[in-house]
Amino acid sequence: MTIQEVNKAIQAERNVLLLHPLYNKINSIKDLQYFMEGHVYAVWDFMSLLKALQQKLTCTTVPWFASKHSQTRYLINEIVLAEESDLAIDGSRQSHFEMYLDAMQTANANTNSISAFIQQLQAGESIEKAIDQLPVEQGIRNFLHFTFTVIMNGKEHEIAAAFTFGREDLIPAMFTEILKGFQTNFPDTDLSKLIYYFERHIELDGDEHGPMAMQMITELCGEDEQKWQEVVEISKQALAKRYELWNAIESVIDQA
């Protein structure tokens, strides 16, 4: 199997996600705040997927040894560099999650739940229990549980599949859809930080990180047909969970 064949196998799930009605429902600043308050969990758990790959495909222990994945370790470290310490809009260095939190605060979105969630984890709470206790829609909790199930139980190529086809390859097209209405719907709100975050992701993921992630999948799967099939299966599940996340955020907007 090839990358092109994987893309063909998951095209239906990808198309459905890119046509989700949520994109057309972010029509007020309140809608946008609800969107950000749900979406921030996907911004946060993305880094855990990336760090899981860094742990498995590079060497993060002492004493150090060269990992067997010579090309992939370069790709992962390049992505980590940008995602964990990119240039923010003011020229400082921030992770993309920190950029998103700043954008939320500028848009007066509530960051209390995500902050309390992280504090719980830092205090030693298990990820499963912390997710179960989140005061959010079940679809958001399901999304997070899927991510950490893949991280904890998945093989290298399965984690890479969730990262590549559930995130990196998807984000440019998805964020482009979300950005379409920003300028017309929110002319009186300062969304410069949020727009910068979205445009930065579209640029990085479309031009650099997406192609890098595809190379990673190719190297990890090689000629092993079973691995390629598992990549397809995990990718479909990841896209379905993203759809479930969007459903959850849409329901919050509809009920407001």
Side-chain angles (χ1 to χ4, degrees), residues 41-49 143-144 147-148 151 167:
Y41 294 97
V43 177
W44 174 78
D45 80 343
F46 168 86
M47 283 303 302
S48 291
L49 269 176
F143 179 88
L144 289 166
T147 297
F148 284 93
I151 287 171
R167 306 296 181 101

Side-chain angles (χ1 to χ4, degrees), residues 12-211:
E13 289 82 0
R14 194 175 187 275
N15 287 345
V16 167
L17 186 55
L18 293 177
L19 293 172
H20 198 288
L22 172 64
Y23 308 130
N24 294 319
K25 292 191 176 181
I26 307 172
N27 298 317
S28 71
I29 191 62
K30 203 66 186 172
D31 296 339
L32 179 62
Q33 289 165 353
Y34 288 138
F35 170 80
M36 296 178 79
E37 288 161 14
H39 178 237
V40 67
Y41 294 97
V43 177
W44 174 78
D45 80 343
F46 168 86
M47 283 303 302
S48 291
L49 269 176
L50 178 55
K51 283 296 180 177
L53 287 171
Q54 189 179 36
Q55 289 175 359
K56 288 181 177 292
L57 302 176
T58 75
C59 182
T60 59
T61 57
V62 177
W64 174 88
F65 304 99
S67 76
K68 64 181 179 180
H69 305 285
S70 58
Q71 180 66 15
T72 298
R73 68 188 181 220
Y74 166 76
L75 302 176
I76 287 295
N77 284 330
E78 279 288 303
I79 295 172
V80 168
L81 177 64
E83 295 287 348
E84 198 168 35
S85 52
D86 201 6
L87 273 176
I89 194 169
D90 63 359
S92 64
R93 289 287 177 183
Q94 286 186 316
S95 68
H96 285 189
F97 173 68
E98 291 165 315
M99 287 185 199
Y100 200 82
L101 284 181
D102 278 357
M104 288 181 71
Q105 290 161 356
T106 302
N108 293 317
N110 192 325
T111 60
N112 292 340
S113 291
I114 184 67
S115 297
F117 173 67
I118 290 173
Q119 287 169 7
Q120 265 189 291
L121 294 172
Q122 289 173 328
E125 185 64 272
S126 72
I127 185 65
E128 295 90 349
K129 190 171 181 182
I131 292 171
D132 285 336
Q133 293 173 348
L134 273 171
V136 296
E137 294 287 309
Q138 186 61 44
I140 298 174
R141 292 196 289 269
N142 292 346
F143 179 88
L144 289 166
H145 275 307
F146 171 77
T147 297
F148 284 93
T149 296
V150 172
I151 287 171
M152 290 184 280
N153 302 325
K155 304 164 190 172
E156 292 173 352
H157 60 280
E158 291 175 325
I159 300 172
F163 177 83
T164 300
F165 296 102
R167 306 296 181 101
E168 290 293 86
D169 181 54
L170 180 70
I171 283 172
M174 194 169 59
F175 282 1
T176 298
E177 287 299 313
I178 294 170
L179 273 175
K180 281 180 180 177
F182 271 26
Q183 300 298 337
T184 53
N185 291 337
F186 314 110
D188 301 321
T189 306
D190 180 10
L191 298 180
S192 56
K193 289 183 177 179
L194 183 59
I195 291 170
Y196 178 85
Y197 168 86
F198 280 144
E199 289 181 341
R200 188 70 180 133
H201 258 283
I202 290 168
E203 175 189 0
L204 280 175
D205 295 343
D207 296 341
E208 299 177 32
H209 294 175

